Amino acid sequence: MVFMNKGFVLHQTERFSETVPPAKPLDHLALCGKQDDIALQLRGETIDYTMLNRRVGQLARWLQEQGLAAGDRIATWLPKTETACLMPLAAARAGLVHVPVNPLLKHAQVAHILSDSGAKCLISNSSRLKSLGEGDVPVGCALHDEKPAMEVWGAIRRPLGASEADPDALVAILYTSGSTGRPKGVMLSHANLWLGAVSVAGYLKVATGDRTLCVMPLSFDYGQNQLLSTWYAGGCCVPLDYLTPRDVIKACAKHKITTLGAIPPLWVQLVEQEWPAEASASLRRLTNTGGALTPQLVRQLRKIFRDGDIYAMYGLTEAFRSTYLDPALIDDNPLSIGKAIPFAEIMVVNDAGEKAVPEEEGELVHAGPLVAQGYWQDPARTAERFRPAPDFSEFGGMAVWSGDRVRRDREGLIYFVGRRDAMIKSSGNRISPAEIEGVVLDSGLAAETVALGIADERLGHEIVLFVRPQLGQLLDMEQLKLVLKSELPNFMMPHRVIGLEDFPKNPNGKLDRAALKKIAEEQAT
């Protein structure tokens, strides 16, 4: 099920003072900066915009030489290497669809993404490729070790020139977990990603000379947009795979970083550290998403970064980003997620399907050209989340019905109330309980299991796993931990495992998650 949100270029209403600009092919971002300005600062190499365009063209040419057809999916499973950074633009230039895979995922999750996307090619490093087992790689999917592949494409003398792709064409599939089942692929067009870059660069006021420290995984929409919005503005990206918060601070000092984006758990770790003047002095903007900032955290950030603007943001992969809070308002409204970003219409729809009045709770609904094209090969879940905009919408067309409950105050600021589904959001990662539960049940060590997210100040959610062993058996906790460690990435690992002889049930005979949550909260006190 594919649909296009077209016709936004000329849209302008009294509410939307800015006209949505024409979108371009995504690979044209390599042409946005001044030729001699640095676009990408790698560990041992700097790449200016002239070289960025050339390197994107070389990688795109190599991709075409692999026998891939237009629209084929190309997956990358890499840390923040040059290939990982260039692939969003190179795949676009080659007429392919990029499928970035979180480097923290393990073979089972990667196997699902490769199979579901129908990937024709996977580029990774030797250690990750060796971790793939029998049946993990679908038939017809070629495997490429990044290092030898780079030696080949880096020597290509005839780079592929800028594309003339249809901005509405599919260019990326980003996999995100749902509240049930395995990860689903969000389909994004050139226009989605291009206009997202324009929007964010605009409201963050990113400009030539700015240097963005990219600490978030490039498989996340937030992490990928840091590259795209910075390049749109003609700035420099500094990718960082960090091990400790001190690594982030050292990188800020070394590279004179002006833009730092993170999620609340990382901010909590960062404010606990000592920030030397050379690390904090250059920072002009701090951006947050993946969870709400607390008033205490805002105060701590303000104490360290006195001259930096703090941007609180809310978003979802299905519509990229929805709201941001003007930094001038954050001290007095630290819990607000702000107002609509440029090119987005954000509505609060009450339970009657009408426009909610001020202070009335309702569902956040996002319309406009940033709305994705649906879920890859999943018409059922697409129909649940992507539905026609309400009659009172000014943009109209297809909208994302987020499932998140919010309210809008009399000044127009939006406040998050809660999530309708059971999604766990821990350390900025959206985690499907069903994925964790499936690993436990597949092990044969449990008859029933439930994974829950319990509110935690540092993590967002603490992952608590409830397990009932097979009838007549004792729970082998050590074996269970070994299975979890083997099959789950670190960010999905439960923080607590609670064994129960019997699970509470509701009147319909279903597992009572509310009762289990209460047990977890009581045991934590």
Side-chain angles (χ1 to χ4, degrees):
M1 180 176 184
V2 178
F3 55 83
M4 304 293 184
N5 275 324
K6 294 189 177 183
F8 295 113
V9 171
L10 301 178
H11 181 92
Q12 186 175 20
T13 70
E14 182 179 348
R15 172 176 168 77
F16 298 97
S17 59
E18 74 282 347
T19 301
V20 178
K24 296 182 180 180
L26 189 64
D27 64 287
H28 286 221
L29 288 173
L31 307 171
C32 287
K34 297 178 181 178
Q35 291 185 348
D36 295 334
D37 284 349
I38 302 302
L40 188 60
Q41 178 68 62
L42 299 170
R43 181 168 296 181
E45 181 184 13
T46 57
I47 296 178
D48 62 22
Y49 274 88
T50 298
M51 187 180 294
L52 176 68
N53 186 45
R54 178 176 177 80
R55 298 289 279 178
V56 167
Q58 288 174 310
L59 179 53
R61 177 74 70 184
W62 178 82
L63 289 171
Q64 283 195 340
E65 291 175 352
Q66 304 313 303
L68 299 170
D72 279 350
R73 276 72 63 203
I74 165 72
T76 51
W77 185 28
L78 294 165
K80 298 186 186 77
T81 62
E82 180 182 353
T83 303
C85 293
L86 299 187
M87 189 57 76
L89 306 191
R93 185 164 293 188
L96 304 173
V97 177
H98 183 212
V99 182
V101 180
N102 190 328
L104 297 179
L105 295 184
K106 296 189 178 179
H107 74 102
Q109 293 84 23
V110 177
H112 165 71
I113 291 173
L114 294 177
S115 174
D116 187 73
S117 67
K120 297 295 185 181
C121 176
L122 170 66
I123 302 175
S124 189
N125 53 32
S126 58
S127 61
R128 287 183 171 85
L129 291 175
K130 289 177 182 176
S131 73
L132 296 172
E134 185 179 353
D136 287 342
V137 182
V139 176
C141 179
L143 302 180
H144 292 280
D145 188 332
E146 179 193 26
K147 188 174 180 179
M150 281 189 68
E151 293 176 356
V152 175
W153 68 257
I156 288 176
R157 296 185 178 182
R158 293 177 53 251
L160 200 63
S163 75
E164 297 181 1
D166 180 352
D168 286 315
L170 181 67
V171 75
I173 302 175
L174 299 188
Y175 275 80
T176 178
S177 293
S179 58
T180 59
R182 291 184 170 182
K184 52 189 181 295
V186 178
M187 299 188 293
L188 300 169
S189 67
H190 291 260
N192 291 147
L193 295 176
W194 179 275
L195 292 175
V198 176
S199 178
V200 174
Y203 73 74
L204 291 184
K205 304 174 185 177
V206 183
T208 300
D210 273 316
R211 301 174 67 82
T212 300
L213 188 64
C214 302
V215 300
M216 305 305 298
L218 301 182
S219 56
F220 288 5
D221 58 344
Y222 182 30
Q224 187 169 118
N225 178 263
Q226 288 190 303
L227 289 175
L228 307 184
S229 59
T230 301
W231 285 336
Y232 175 80
C236 173
C237 297
V238 184
L240 177 69
D241 288 309
Y242 69 93
L243 294 176
T244 70
R246 293 296 305 168
D247 295 334
V248 176
I249 297 171
K250 290 177 181 178
C252 287
K254 178 179 179 180
H255 299 290
K256 305 300 179 187
I257 296 300
T258 63
T259 306
L260 177 61
I263 56 177
L266 178 55
W267 285 124
V268 169
Q269 292 179 306
L270 290 173
V271 298
E272 293 173 342
Q273 306 296 317
E274 188 70 29
W275 279 78
E278 60 267 25
S280 61
S282 60
L283 279 165
R284 300 173 191 166
R285 62 190 67 80
L286 315 170
T287 71
N288 175 78
T289 192
L293 292 171
T294 64
Q296 179 182 359
L297 190 50
V298 170
R299 290 192 296 270
Q300 291 171 312
L301 289 170
R302 182 68 71 206
K303 184 177 179 180
I304 297 172
F305 309 103
R306 291 184 175 86
D307 299 323
D309 288 333
I310 303 173
Y311 288 84
M313 304 183 293
Y314 161 93
L316 60 162
T317 307
E318 292 84 352
F320 164 62
R321 189 74 48 75
S322 294
T323 68
Y324 83 101
L325 181 65
D326 186 324
L329 303 176
I330 196 166
D331 292 311
D332 295 329
N333 307 275
L335 298 179
S336 175
I337 60 174
K339 299 182 179 182
I341 68 172
F343 319 145
E345 180 185 16
I346 302 303
M347 296 158 280
V348 183
V349 182
N350 66 19
D351 292 339
E354 301 169 344
K355 184 176 181 179
V357 299
E359 304 298 347
E360 181 183 13
E361 181 181 317
E363 182 175 0
L364 185 147
V365 178
H366 180 136
L370 301 180
V371 171
Q373 297 183 344
Y375 297 124
W376 174 258
Q377 296 191 129
D378 197 338
R381 285 200 285 188
T382 295
E384 291 174 2
R385 183 60 62 92
F386 295 85
R387 308 199 301 274
D391 292 339
F392 58 84
S393 168
E394 295 187 49
F395 263 117
M398 199 64 68
V400 175
W401 294 70
S402 71
D404 289 345
R405 308 291 288 181
V406 300
R407 63 177 178 83
R408 196 192 305 265
D409 70 12
R410 299 187 183 282
E411 283 69 48
L413 294 179
I414 298 173
Y415 290 81
F416 184 84
V417 176
R419 299 186 183 277
R420 183 175 290 172
D421 59 25
M423 175 64 64
I424 299 172
K425 198 160 192 176
S426 183
S427 297
N429 297 290
R430 296 178 68 203
I431 300 166
S432 166
E435 282 200 83
I436 302 174
E437 294 161 1
V439 168
V440 177
L441 293 174
D442 288 344
S443 72
L445 296 173
E448 289 183 301
T449 184
V450 170
L452 294 175
I454 305 299
D456 182 272
E457 183 175 351
R458 291 178 61 87
L459 301 170
H461 279 144
E462 176 194 26
I463 304 173
V464 179
L465 179 68
F466 287 90
V467 178
R468 180 175 69 80
Q470 299 286 356
L471 187 64
Q473 296 182 6
L474 296 176
L475 178 60
D476 189 338
M477 192 69 74
E478 292 304 315
Q479 183 62 29
L480 177 60
K481 290 179 179 178
L482 288 175
V483 169
L484 293 171
K485 187 175 181 180
S486 171
E487 297 298 325
L488 293 175
N490 290 339
F491 66 80
M492 285 189 185
M493 287 292 292
H495 301 99
R496 282 192 287 153
V497 179
I498 300 174
L500 295 179
E501 291 184 1
D502 191 29
F503 276 18
K505 305 289 195 303
N506 64 22
N508 295 324
K510 296 181 179 180
L511 295 177
D512 191 337
R513 291 177 178 265
L516 289 171
K517 183 178 180 180
K518 185 176 181 180
I519 293 172
E521 291 172 340
E522 289 174 347
Q523 289 199 10
T525 58

